[in-house]
mmCIF file with all atom_site columns, all heavy atoms in Angstrom:
data_model
loop_
_atom_site.group_PDB
_atom_site.id
_atom_site.type_symbol
_atom_site.label_atom_id
_atom_site.label_alt_id
_atom_site.label_comp_id
_atom_site.label_asym_id
_atom_site.label_entity_id
_atom_site.label_seq_id
_atom_site.pdbx_PDB_ins_code
_atom_site.Cartn_x
_atom_site.Cartn_y
_atom_site.Cartn_z
_atom_site.occupancy
_atom_site.B_iso_or_equiv
_atom_site.pdbx_formal_charge
_atom_site.auth_seq_id
_atom_site.auth_comp_id
_atom_site.auth_asym_id
_atom_site.auth_atom_id
_atom_site.pdbx_PDB_model_num
ATOM 1  N N   . PHE A 1 151 ? 79.147 101.835 84.777 1.00 0.00 ? 151 PHE A N   1
ATOM 2  C CA  . PHE A 1 151 ? 79.484 101.117 83.546 1.00 0.00 ? 151 PHE A CA  1
ATOM 3  C C   . PHE A 1 151 ? 78.777 99.764  83.466 1.00 0.00 ? 151 PHE A C   1
ATOM 4  O O   . PHE A 1 151 ? 78.330 99.353  82.397 1.00 0.00 ? 151 PHE A O   1
ATOM 5  C CB  . PHE A 1 151 ? 80.996 100.913 83.429 1.00 0.00 ? 151 PHE A CB  1
ATOM 6  C CG  . PHE A 1 151 ? 81.751 102.184 83.181 1.00 0.00 ? 151 PHE A CG  1
ATOM 7  C CD1 . PHE A 1 151 ? 82.913 102.459 83.877 1.00 0.00 ? 151 PHE A CD1 1
ATOM 8  C CD2 . PHE A 1 151 ? 81.305 103.122 82.261 1.00 0.00 ? 151 PHE A CD2 1
ATOM 9  C CE1 . PHE A 1 151 ? 83.615 103.622 83.656 1.00 0.00 ? 151 PHE A CE1 1
ATOM 10 C CE2 . PHE A 1 151 ? 81.993 104.298 82.036 1.00 0.00 ? 151 PHE A CE2 1
ATOM 11 C CZ  . PHE A 1 151 ? 83.150 104.544 82.733 1.00 0.00 ? 151 PHE A CZ  1
ATOM 12 N N   . ILE A 1 152 ? 78.655 99.080  84.581 1.00 0.00 ? 152 ILE A N   1
ATOM 13 C CA  . ILE A 1 152 ? 77.981 97.775  84.592 1.00 0.00 ? 152 ILE A CA  1
ATOM 14 C C   . ILE A 1 152 ? 76.496 97.952  84.272 1.00 0.00 ? 152 ILE A C   1
ATOM 15 O O   . ILE A 1 152 ? 75.923 97.190  83.485 1.00 0.00 ? 152 ILE A O   1
ATOM 16 C CB  . ILE A 1 152 ? 78.184 97.068  85.951 1.00 0.00 ? 152 ILE A CB  1
ATOM 17 C CG1 . ILE A 1 152 ? 79.636 96.599  86.064 1.00 0.00 ? 152 ILE A CG1 1
ATOM 18 C CG2 . ILE A 1 152 ? 77.222 95.896  86.110 1.00 0.00 ? 152 ILE A CG2 1
ATOM 19 C CD1 . ILE A 1 152 ? 80.024 96.129  87.448 1.00 0.00 ? 152 ILE A CD1 1
ATOM 20 N N   . ILE A 1 153 ? 75.864 98.950  84.863 1.00 0.00 ? 153 ILE A N   1
ATOM 21 C CA  . ILE A 1 153 ? 74.448 99.216  84.576 1.00 0.00 ? 153 ILE A CA  1
ATOM 22 C C   . ILE A 1 153 ? 74.267 99.575  83.110 1.00 0.00 ? 153 ILE A C   1
ATOM 23 O O   . ILE A 1 153 ? 73.360 99.071  82.442 1.00 0.00 ? 153 ILE A O   1
ATOM 24 C CB  . ILE A 1 153 ? 73.909 100.335 85.492 1.00 0.00 ? 153 ILE A CB  1
ATOM 25 C CG1 . ILE A 1 153 ? 73.843 99.836  86.934 1.00 0.00 ? 153 ILE A CG1 1
ATOM 26 C CG2 . ILE A 1 153 ? 72.550 100.830 85.022 1.00 0.00 ? 153 ILE A CG2 1
ATOM 27 C CD1 . ILE A 1 153 ? 73.612 100.922 87.952 1.00 0.00 ? 153 ILE A CD1 1
ATOM 28 N N   . TYR A 1 154 ? 75.159 100.421 82.583 1.00 0.00 ? 154 TYR A N   1
ATOM 29 C CA  . TYR A 1 154 ? 75.075 100.804 81.177 1.00 0.00 ? 154 TYR A CA  1
ATOM 30 C C   . TYR A 1 154 ? 75.263 99.588  80.272 1.00 0.00 ? 154 TYR A C   1
ATOM 31 O O   . TYR A 1 154 ? 74.545 99.413  79.298 1.00 0.00 ? 154 TYR A O   1
ATOM 32 C CB  . TYR A 1 154 ? 76.125 101.876 80.851 1.00 0.00 ? 154 TYR A CB  1
ATOM 33 C CG  . TYR A 1 154 ? 75.965 102.441 79.464 1.00 0.00 ? 154 TYR A CG  1
ATOM 34 C CD1 . TYR A 1 154 ? 75.016 103.426 79.217 1.00 0.00 ? 154 TYR A CD1 1
ATOM 35 C CD2 . TYR A 1 154 ? 76.734 101.981 78.412 1.00 0.00 ? 154 TYR A CD2 1
ATOM 36 C CE1 . TYR A 1 154 ? 74.840 103.944 77.948 1.00 0.00 ? 154 TYR A CE1 1
ATOM 37 C CE2 . TYR A 1 154 ? 76.568 102.482 77.139 1.00 0.00 ? 154 TYR A CE2 1
ATOM 38 C CZ  . TYR A 1 154 ? 75.623 103.464 76.904 1.00 0.00 ? 154 TYR A CZ  1
ATOM 39 O OH  . TYR A 1 154 ? 75.450 103.964 75.650 1.00 0.00 ? 154 TYR A OH  1
ATOM 40 N N   . GLN A 1 155 ? 76.215 98.733  80.598 1.00 0.00 ? 155 GLN A N   1
ATOM 41 C CA  . GLN A 1 155 ? 76.451 97.518  79.807 1.00 0.00 ? 155 GLN A CA  1
ATOM 42 C C   . GLN A 1 155 ? 75.230 96.603  79.850 1.00 0.00 ? 155 GLN A C   1
ATOM 43 O O   . GLN A 1 155 ? 74.861 95.998  78.848 1.00 0.00 ? 155 GLN A O   1
ATOM 44 C CB  . GLN A 1 155 ? 77.687 96.780  80.323 1.00 0.00 ? 155 GLN A CB  1
ATOM 45 C CG  . GLN A 1 155 ? 77.950 95.450  79.652 1.00 0.00 ? 155 GLN A CG  1
ATOM 46 C CD  . GLN A 1 155 ? 78.318 95.582  78.195 1.00 0.00 ? 155 GLN A CD  1
ATOM 47 O OE1 . GLN A 1 155 ? 78.918 96.566  77.803 1.00 0.00 ? 155 GLN A OE1 1
ATOM 48 N NE2 . GLN A 1 155 ? 77.964 94.601  77.396 1.00 0.00 ? 155 GLN A NE2 1
ATOM 49 N N   . TYR A 1 156 ? 74.598 96.499  81.008 1.00 0.00 ? 156 TYR A N   1
ATOM 50 C CA  . TYR A 1 156 ? 73.421 95.651  81.150 1.00 0.00 ? 156 TYR A CA  1
ATOM 51 C C   . TYR A 1 156 ? 72.275 96.174  80.290 1.00 0.00 ? 156 TYR A C   1
ATOM 52 O O   . TYR A 1 156 ? 71.569 95.410  79.636 1.00 0.00 ? 156 TYR A O   1
ATOM 53 C CB  . TYR A 1 156 ? 73.005 95.586  82.623 1.00 0.00 ? 156 TYR A CB  1
ATOM 54 C CG  . TYR A 1 156 ? 71.788 94.748  82.873 1.00 0.00 ? 156 TYR A CG  1
ATOM 55 C CD1 . TYR A 1 156 ? 71.859 93.357  82.817 1.00 0.00 ? 156 TYR A CD1 1
ATOM 56 C CD2 . TYR A 1 156 ? 70.561 95.341  83.152 1.00 0.00 ? 156 TYR A CD2 1
ATOM 57 C CE1 . TYR A 1 156 ? 70.731 92.586  83.041 1.00 0.00 ? 156 TYR A CE1 1
ATOM 58 C CE2 . TYR A 1 156 ? 69.438 94.572  83.376 1.00 0.00 ? 156 TYR A CE2 1
ATOM 59 C CZ  . TYR A 1 156 ? 69.527 93.194  83.318 1.00 0.00 ? 156 TYR A CZ  1
ATOM 60 O OH  . TYR A 1 156 ? 68.418 92.429  83.538 1.00 0.00 ? 156 TYR A OH  1
ATOM 61 N N   . LYS A 1 157 ? 72.100 97.483  80.264 1.00 0.00 ? 157 LYS A N   1
ATOM 62 C CA  . LYS A 1 157 ? 71.002 98.081  79.496 1.00 0.00 ? 157 LYS A CA  1
ATOM 63 C C   . LYS A 1 157 ? 71.319 98.166  77.989 1.00 0.00 ? 157 LYS A C   1
ATOM 64 O O   . LYS A 1 157 ? 70.420 98.246  77.184 1.00 0.00 ? 157 LYS A O   1
ATOM 65 C CB  . LYS A 1 157 ? 70.682 99.458  80.046 1.00 0.00 ? 157 LYS A CB  1
ATOM 66 C CG  . LYS A 1 157 ? 70.222 99.427  81.493 1.00 0.00 ? 157 LYS A CG  1
ATOM 67 C CD  . LYS A 1 157 ? 69.159 100.446 81.730 1.00 0.00 ? 157 LYS A CD  1
ATOM 68 C CE  . LYS A 1 157 ? 68.726 100.385 83.164 1.00 0.00 ? 157 LYS A CE  1
ATOM 69 N NZ  . LYS A 1 157 ? 67.413 99.852  83.316 1.00 0.00 ? 157 LYS A NZ  1
#
Side-chain angles (χ1 to χ4, degrees):
F151 291 135
I152 288 169
I153 291 168
Y154 188 81
Q155 175 66 31
Y156 179 74
K157 298 217 180 250

